[in-house]
Amino acid sequence: MSQDLSSKENPIPTKSALGTTIPVTNLPAQRGKIHIKEQKGHFQRLRTGLNSLLILFFFLLPFIPYQGRQAILLDVERQEFHFFSLTLWPQDFTLLAWLFIIAAFALFFVTVFWGRVWCGYLCPQTSWSFAFVWIERQIEGNSNKRHALDKAPWSVEKVLKRTAKHLAWGLAALVTGCGFIAYFIPANELYGQIFTLSASFWVSAWVWFFALCTYLNAGWMREQMCLHCCPYARFQSAMFDANTLTVSYDATRGESRGPRKRKQATELGDCVDCNLCVDVCPTGIDIRNGLQYECINCGACVDACDQTMDKFGYDKGLIRYASENELKQKQVKRFTSFKFVGYGLAVIIMLSVFALDLYRHQSIDLNVIRDRQSLYREVGDGRIENSYTLKIRNKTQEDHQYLIALADAANHGIAQQTKQRVLIKAGEQLSYPVTVYEQKRAGFVGAKLQKQTISFTVTNLSNPKEKVSQASPFFSLSAF
């Protein structure tokens, strides 16, 4: 993409996509602490709604019951990871790996089409930062009052407001810490234990750890996480192309900018230089300086500018979601661009592989371990025995009876000595010893060691389609 991702560390005059020189002003480093001005509008209603749904979903999801337990519970101690009717174990983590890969490529796919829209509307850092800003606004007032409070000398009023704010932030952070750990410990127990101080040391330590992270990230660091800690900000431009929709300033229409009275005849462009687009930006940038990596595509400046255009009787859209080709009045090929098609195909392929892996997911886990003490044993009645331990795990959430059998064993004269039916409780692993033997034939004189392969099969008697097999060597003696 030909547009330059300007950085506040290198504040030089930039040019728009159309070549118009734009002065760089009001950089975050020059403005000090950022206090976001509250902004209403279409995109802010959308962002607030999505942020609220995300936070609500985060807290309520652990309280959803399913078959007498928590629907989503990542039980690290028992190494059981429940997702409604599906239970995963450490050996099933390839499924989770596929999910993360799919999520990454889906993010790339969305980025090619709509830029850094994830950061502006669905990122947890953005959601919690705006929630903490809302708390700050209720206690300390609007952005002007907060700036004034920062500069004011310490007084009783300032101490009370700051104390109330940090206590409210601390409570919100603590509840967030509980919300996170509720995915690992039953939520119905966790909240009561934390707020009655009856939780164990490690549970309390993890809750307070995530509470501290939330307090620092959403209360203090805010945009610094987006600017300096999040890697997405640094490599997003590699996914952009000339058709990507990003928050853009139409410099041809807006420049030369300057203040004026309403309905005043002027030779200036439509930008009235009100600076609202900077005041409402959560990362403190001036979108009129061109595309910058700090922009999270939240649309706050779009709403602010449209509001100003309305007041002055100008057309909306001076700042809008637009692509580079659109600003240059070139043909936009959004759905046929190489990156859009490539990432789309990658997502489809990953989803197909994940669906296939999920379809082949076994509800029974079998691991056959041979006796390491001896290859075989000869017993008095002319039998040659091999000993095995079958580790069978019931990966479902119900008790089941299983049938243990040797596949095609009768054709080789091999038999199983121990009983064949076992009961395994939900989520449990059974270590089951099995002895397999072969009868010596009559007239057996000399012998040499012989190895053949046998296969153990474990079948769920309540659903015969659920079965799993594993091969293992059987050692015996054969005649010269």
Side-chain angles (χ1 to χ4, degrees):
M1 195 174 184
S2 61
Q3 286 175 305
D4 214 13
L5 289 182
S6 320
S7 168
K8 68 171 180 269
E9 286 89 350
N10 186 26
I12 58 175
T14 61
K15 290 189 177 182
S16 72
L18 299 170
T20 307
T21 302
I22 304 172
V24 177
T25 57
N26 295 302
L27 295 173
Q30 298 170 343
R31 297 172 61 240
K33 184 176 179 180
I34 297 173
H35 286 297
I36 309 168
K37 184 172 183 176
E38 186 178 12
Q39 178 61 46
K40 305 292 184 181
H42 170 72
F43 292 108
Q44 294 321 288
R45 286 193 297 272
L46 177 62
R47 180 197 57 74
T48 302
L50 289 174
N51 286 176
S52 301
L53 282 176
L54 173 68
I55 294 174
L56 191 65
F57 187 72
F58 170 78
F59 284 113
L60 293 184
L61 193 58
F63 287 98
I64 298 176
Y66 184 82
Q67 295 182 349
R69 59 161 179 79
Q70 194 168 304
I72 296 181
L73 181 63
L74 311 177
D75 192 338
V76 177
E77 184 177 358
R78 298 181 61 185
Q79 296 186 346
E80 298 177 9
F81 307 94
H82 303 287
F83 301 90
F84 291 89
S85 62
L86 178 66
T87 300
L88 298 180
W89 303 82
Q91 56 267 39
D92 298 319
F93 262 41
T94 51
L95 287 171
L96 291 181
W98 281 119
L99 277 179
F100 287 129
I101 293 172
I102 291 169
F105 276 92
L107 179 63
F108 301 160
F109 177 71
V110 171
T111 301
V112 170
F113 183 80
W114 212 294
R116 201 176 169 183
V117 71
W118 159 264
C119 297
Y121 292 88
L122 287 172
C123 176
Q125 173 66 25
T126 302
S127 302
W128 263 262
S129 293
F130 273 104
F132 274 54
V133 168
W134 180 86
I135 293 172
E136 185 177 54
R137 185 184 303 122
Q138 305 311 306
I139 296 172
E140 296 186 353
N142 61 31
S143 60
N144 291 332
K145 291 180 179 179
R146 297 199 300 274
H147 275 297
L149 189 65
D150 286 345
K151 298 175 182 178
W154 284 98
S155 62
V156 174
E157 181 186 8
K158 184 171 181 176
V159 169
L160 288 176
K161 285 185 175 181
R162 287 290 160 89
T163 302
K165 179 182 74 173
H166 288 287
L167 285 176
W169 280 359
L171 180 61
L174 180 59
V175 173
T176 302
C178 289
F180 189 86
I181 299 301
Y183 286 90
F184 299 87
I185 296 172
N188 292 328
E189 303 171 8
L190 176 66
Y191 284 89
Q193 291 176 358
I194 290 296
F195 287 98
T196 59
L197 305 179
S198 59
S200 67
F201 170 79
W202 284 112
V203 170
S204 300
W206 280 113
V207 168
W208 282 102
F209 171 76
F210 285 105
L212 179 62
C213 290
T214 304
Y215 174 77
L216 294 176
N217 289 348
W220 289 91
M221 297 188 69
R222 294 184 186 172
E223 75 282 351
Q224 300 304 317
M225 292 294 296
C226 304
L227 303 184
H228 305 298
C229 299
C230 178
Y232 185 48
R234 300 293 178 171
F235 65 73
Q236 60 171 328
S237 59
M239 291 171 276
F240 288 5
D241 60 22
N243 301 297
T244 301
L245 283 170
T246 59
V247 174
S248 305
Y249 169 65
D250 191 341
T252 300
R253 175 185 155 188
E255 300 298 322
S256 297
R257 72 184 74 151
R260 81 288 309 266
K261 296 179 180 180
R262 295 182 189 181
K263 299 182 180 180
Q264 176 186 346
T266 178
E267 298 297 322
L268 296 173
D270 285 357
C271 179
V272 300
D273 207 15
C274 64
N275 223 43
L276 276 177
C277 56
V278 179
D279 294 336
V280 300
C281 180
T283 57
I285 64 170
D286 188 340
I287 195 62
R288 297 171 296 179
N289 296 335
L291 181 63
Q292 298 152 76
Y293 79 84
E294 296 96 337
C295 177
I296 63 172
N297 249 30
C298 67
C301 56
V302 178
D303 287 331
C305 188
D306 283 350
Q307 175 183 297
T308 301
M309 294 297 102
D310 258 351
K311 290 179 179 178
F312 279 82
Y314 299 152
D315 292 336
K316 294 180 181 180
L318 177 60
I319 298 176
R320 64 185 185 273
Y321 285 96
S323 67
E324 182 179 345
N325 280 340
E326 185 179 340
L327 290 175
K328 291 181 176 180
Q329 298 182 343
K330 292 183 178 179
Q331 183 181 5
V332 179
K333 299 179 180 179
R334 189 163 295 124
F335 299 102
T336 57
S337 68
F338 175 76
K339 289 185 178 180
F340 185 84
V341 174
Y343 284 129
L345 288 175
V347 171
I348 293 172
I349 292 171
M350 299 298 174
L351 281 171
S352 302
V353 173
F354 173 76
L356 178 62
D357 204 4
L358 187 62
Y359 174 76
R360 295 170 57 188
H361 176 257
Q362 296 284 352
S363 61
I364 314 167
D365 191 44
L366 172 64
N367 187 20
V368 179
I369 304 173
R370 272 188 50 83
D371 182 9
R372 298 180 181 179
Q373 300 299 320
S374 60
L375 292 178
Y376 65 90
R377 293 192 305 272
E378 293 186 67
V379 293
D381 57 354
R383 291 187 302 182
I384 298 175
E385 294 181 347
N386 284 209
S387 295
Y388 304 85
T389 299
L390 273 57
K391 292 187 177 293
I392 310 168
R393 185 182 290 277
N394 175 6
K395 295 164 68 176
T396 70
Q397 300 169 20
E398 299 175 355
D399 299 350
H400 287 293
Q401 272 202 336
Y402 297 92
L403 174 67
I404 302 173
L406 286 172
D408 202 29
N411 295 339
H412 301 286
I414 298 173
Q416 183 177 328
Q417 185 174 352
T418 50
K419 67 178 183 179
Q420 296 180 328
R421 294 171 182 260
V422 293
L423 174 67
I424 306 179
K425 294 183 178 181
E428 288 193 352
Q429 177 174 281
L430 176 69
S431 293
Y432 185 72
V434 174
T435 300
V436 179
Y437 66 89
E438 183 182 43
Q439 192 72 43
K440 285 184 180 179
R441 293 183 295 276
F444 194 86
V445 184
K448 64 178 181 179
L449 185 65
Q450 174 182 285
K451 176 185 175 182
Q452 56 185 309
T453 300
I454 61 175
S455 182
F456 292 93
T457 300
V458 178
T459 306
N460 184 354
L461 290 175
S462 60
N463 185 5
K465 291 183 179 180
E466 293 181 357
K467 63 180 179 180
V468 64
S469 300
Q470 184 174 330
S472 186
F474 178 86
F475 291 94
S476 61
L477 297 173
S478 62
F480 289 125

